[in-house]
Amino acid sequence: VLDMELKSENANAAETVKVPNVIGENYSQDSIGDLLDPAIYKVEINMVYDAEMPEGTIIKQEPAAESARKVVRNKTKCTVTLTVSRGANLVSVPDLVNYNYTSARVLAENQEKFNFTVEFKEVKSEAYKFGLVVKTEPAAGEQVRYGSTIIIYYSIGPDYQYVIVDDYTGKTPAQASTLIAGDLVIDEDTTYEY
């Protein structure tokens, strides 16, 4: 009976433990008991996106490693809060084709959805009106990290060649054509405006 009472008193005795360092370890529900004795530690988990740390890596702990705590095994446990990486937060690039490029920027920079850094590049296009998005890089639907940089290509209109011509005011079309022909090569589709 006395032996049982001593064991009972020892089971209720407080002991001081030092919290082990688990930062950098891989977390899983199955293996956490190997890192932090469940008779001593109550573990709480916060999952966060972290592009730098692989998924499942413990990136922070509270209390800090080597902190001293009083516990009673299986009764008064030390709560350890672990911050565990979810890995990079991947998002799909939205389809911004045919959006006005300023509207496309507002959508792409939306912090709740994408938080992209946007760069613009102009492209000549006969198919898209001035200011409309022609394509993005990466392309619509591709998976990228939240907060990545995307390039929005927008139309500056068709690729026209402009030439400076002399003043042919007062000339007939035949006279103007003869004078122009001496300076330029004219294709069959040349039109004249009077």
Short mmCIF file of all heavy atoms in Angstrom, two decimals, residues 123-126 128-131 154-160:
data_model
loop_
_atom_site.label_atom_id
_atom_site.label_comp_id
_atom_site.label_asym_id
_atom_site.label_seq_id
_atom_site.Cartn_x
_atom_site.Cartn_y
_atom_site.Cartn_z
N VAL A 123 2.64 45.31 -77.56
CA VAL A 123 2.76 44.50 -78.77
C VAL A 123 1.86 45.10 -79.84
O VAL A 123 0.81 45.67 -79.54
CB VAL A 123 2.38 43.02 -78.54
CG1 VAL A 123 3.35 42.32 -77.64
CG2 VAL A 123 0.98 42.86 -78.01
N LYS A 124 2.30 44.98 -81.07
CA LYS A 124 1.48 45.44 -82.19
C LYS A 124 0.54 44.33 -82.56
O LYS A 124 0.92 43.16 -82.61
CB LYS A 124 2.37 45.83 -83.36
CG LYS A 124 3.23 47.03 -83.03
CD LYS A 124 4.19 47.37 -84.14
CE LYS A 124 5.04 48.56 -83.71
NZ LYS A 124 6.10 48.84 -84.65
N SER A 125 -0.73 44.69 -82.78
CA SER A 125 -1.72 43.66 -83.07
C SER A 125 -2.85 44.24 -83.91
O SER A 125 -3.38 45.30 -83.59
CB SER A 125 -2.31 43.10 -81.77
OG SER A 125 -3.38 42.24 -82.05
N GLU A 126 -3.18 43.52 -84.97
CA GLU A 126 -4.34 43.91 -85.77
C GLU A 126 -5.61 43.28 -85.20
O GLU A 126 -6.70 43.76 -85.44
CB GLU A 126 -4.13 43.49 -87.22
CG GLU A 126 -3.04 44.28 -87.90
CD GLU A 126 -2.90 44.00 -89.38
OE1 GLU A 126 -3.91 43.63 -90.01
OE2 GLU A 126 -1.80 44.17 -89.88
N TYR A 128 -6.38 42.91 -81.89
CA TYR A 128 -6.83 43.50 -80.63
C TYR A 128 -6.74 45.02 -80.70
O TYR A 128 -5.74 45.56 -81.17
CB TYR A 128 -5.96 43.00 -79.46
CG TYR A 128 -6.10 41.53 -79.21
CD1 TYR A 128 -5.26 40.62 -79.86
CD2 TYR A 128 -7.07 41.04 -78.35
CE1 TYR A 128 -5.38 39.26 -79.63
CE2 TYR A 128 -7.20 39.68 -78.12
CZ TYR A 128 -6.36 38.79 -78.77
OH TYR A 128 -6.48 37.46 -78.54
N LYS A 129 -7.76 45.67 -80.21
CA LYS A 129 -7.78 47.14 -80.18
C LYS A 129 -6.74 47.65 -79.19
O LYS A 129 -6.34 46.94 -78.26
CB LYS A 129 -9.16 47.65 -79.77
CG LYS A 129 -10.23 47.40 -80.79
CD LYS A 129 -11.54 47.98 -80.28
CE LYS A 129 -12.66 47.71 -81.29
NZ LYS A 129 -13.94 48.23 -80.82
N PHE A 130 -6.37 48.90 -79.35
CA PHE A 130 -5.41 49.53 -78.47
C PHE A 130 -5.84 49.39 -77.01
O PHE A 130 -6.98 49.62 -76.65
CB PHE A 130 -5.26 51.03 -78.80
CG PHE A 130 -4.31 51.72 -77.87
CD1 PHE A 130 -2.95 51.70 -78.12
CD2 PHE A 130 -4.76 52.35 -76.73
CE1 PHE A 130 -2.06 52.32 -77.26
CE2 PHE A 130 -3.88 52.97 -75.84
CZ PHE A 130 -2.52 52.96 -76.12
N GLY A 131 -4.89 48.97 -76.16
CA GLY A 131 -5.13 48.89 -74.73
C GLY A 131 -5.67 47.56 -74.24
O GLY A 131 -5.76 47.34 -73.04
N TYR A 154 -0.05 44.02 -73.95
CA TYR A 154 -1.25 44.69 -74.41
C TYR A 154 -1.00 45.34 -75.77
O TYR A 154 0.12 45.68 -76.14
CB TYR A 154 -1.77 45.71 -73.40
CG TYR A 154 -0.92 46.95 -73.25
CD1 TYR A 154 -1.20 48.10 -73.98
CD2 TYR A 154 0.17 46.96 -72.39
CE1 TYR A 154 -0.42 49.23 -73.85
CE2 TYR A 154 0.94 48.09 -72.25
CZ TYR A 154 0.65 49.23 -72.99
OH TYR A 154 1.42 50.34 -72.85
N SER A 155 -2.09 45.46 -76.53
CA SER A 155 -2.03 45.93 -77.90
C SER A 155 -1.82 47.44 -77.97
O SER A 155 -2.43 48.20 -77.23
CB SER A 155 -3.33 45.58 -78.64
OG SER A 155 -3.34 46.16 -79.92
N ILE A 156 -0.94 47.83 -78.89
CA ILE A 156 -0.82 49.26 -79.23
C ILE A 156 -1.35 49.48 -80.64
O ILE A 156 -1.07 50.49 -81.27
CB ILE A 156 0.63 49.76 -79.09
CG1 ILE A 156 1.59 48.96 -79.96
CG2 ILE A 156 1.06 49.77 -77.63
CD1 ILE A 156 2.98 49.57 -80.06
N GLY A 157 -2.13 48.51 -81.11
CA GLY A 157 -2.75 48.63 -82.43
C GLY A 157 -1.92 47.91 -83.49
O GLY A 157 -0.93 47.27 -83.20
N PRO A 158 -2.36 48.04 -84.76
CA PRO A 158 -1.68 47.34 -85.84
C PRO A 158 -0.31 47.94 -86.15
O PRO A 158 0.02 49.04 -85.75
CB PRO A 158 -2.63 47.48 -87.03
CG PRO A 158 -3.57 48.56 -86.68
CD PRO A 158 -3.54 48.75 -85.20
N ASP A 159 0.44 47.18 -86.91
CA ASP A 159 1.78 47.58 -87.30
C ASP A 159 1.71 48.32 -88.64
O ASP A 159 1.94 47.74 -89.69
CB ASP A 159 2.68 46.34 -87.42
CG ASP A 159 4.13 46.70 -87.69
OD1 ASP A 159 4.49 47.88 -87.52
OD2 ASP A 159 4.89 45.81 -88.09
N TYR A 160 1.36 49.58 -88.58
CA TYR A 160 1.31 50.39 -89.79
C TYR A 160 2.67 51.02 -90.04
O TYR A 160 3.37 51.37 -89.10
CB TYR A 160 0.28 51.53 -89.66
CG TYR A 160 -1.14 51.06 -89.61
CD1 TYR A 160 -1.94 51.29 -88.50
CD2 TYR A 160 -1.70 50.38 -90.69
CE1 TYR A 160 -3.25 50.87 -88.45
CE2 TYR A 160 -3.02 49.96 -90.65
CZ TYR A 160 -3.78 50.20 -89.54
OH TYR A 160 -5.08 49.79 -89.49
#
